Amino acid sequence: MVLDAQPDMVVVGEAEDGQHALEVLQAVSADVVLMDIRMPRMDGVAATEELLRRDPDGPKVVVLTTFDLDEYAYAALRAGASGFLLKDAGPADLLAAIHAVHGGDAVIAPSTTRRLVEHLTRAGAGPVAPSPAQPDEPAGADHPRLAALTPREVEVMRAVAEGRSNAEISAELYVAEATVKTHIGRILHKLALRDRVQMVLLAYDTGLVAVRPGS
């Protein structure tokens, strides 16, 4: 009801589980999919993987999670989802998330980024990097996966992974917000990452941002 009430949004389909969602998306064209995690027959992780396997340039996926209970959210982000929302998100947050992913951004709230990654890292989630680090590889800014980045791009990537917004990064680095967006675009291109979500996960994966127990 909330979505259909918006002048620039139309709900083109609804599904009762992941398998049904894939069937619906073969018959209708959608820009954004709101994907629950826990569903019968096929859960949201499997459905997201299959959807993006069929069409990597297809709909953007936003997963819904209870966060504290649903560790599958991390796997969904790795599978290609453009972000996550808590199930108790209000209408304004839901609409903002849809607009953000439709515009090519990612939905990963700065206030919950660290808690999400730390919670799921402690739970033993696997790496997001296409080439996982070997035991003898350097971590942090010297990691081979980050070799293409300039020092300033490393700074920006670290700030994004620490949960800072573009405006906060702009103030911290004394650069224009448009410059921050440019740096983020270059980081995504150089590292062949889909969006801001994958950038955050890779920053933790390479040790650019450390997981600190109890932080």
Side-chain angles (χ1 to χ4, degrees), residues 101-188:
V101 299
H102 181 252
D105 205 346
V107 181
I108 184 163
S111 62
T112 58
T113 298
R114 179 178 294 279
R115 289 190 299 130
L116 174 69
V117 178
E118 288 186 355
H119 174 77
L120 296 173
T121 301
R122 287 197 301 269
V128 69
S131 301
Q134 299 302 315
D136 56 347
E137 283 185 336
D142 294 327
H143 193 282
R145 284 282 283 126
L146 308 181
L149 303 183
T150 66
R152 178 46 61 95
E153 288 166 351
V154 169
E155 284 184 292
V156 171
M157 184 172 178
R158 181 182 289 112
V160 170
E162 289 175 343
R164 291 176 176 80
S165 66
N166 287 356
E168 291 170 334
I169 298 171
S170 171
E172 181 178 315
L173 300 182
Y174 302 101
V175 297
E177 191 168 344
T179 302
V180 175
K181 293 180 180 179
T182 298
H183 283 311
I184 290 175
R186 288 174 178 168
I187 293 168
L188 295 176

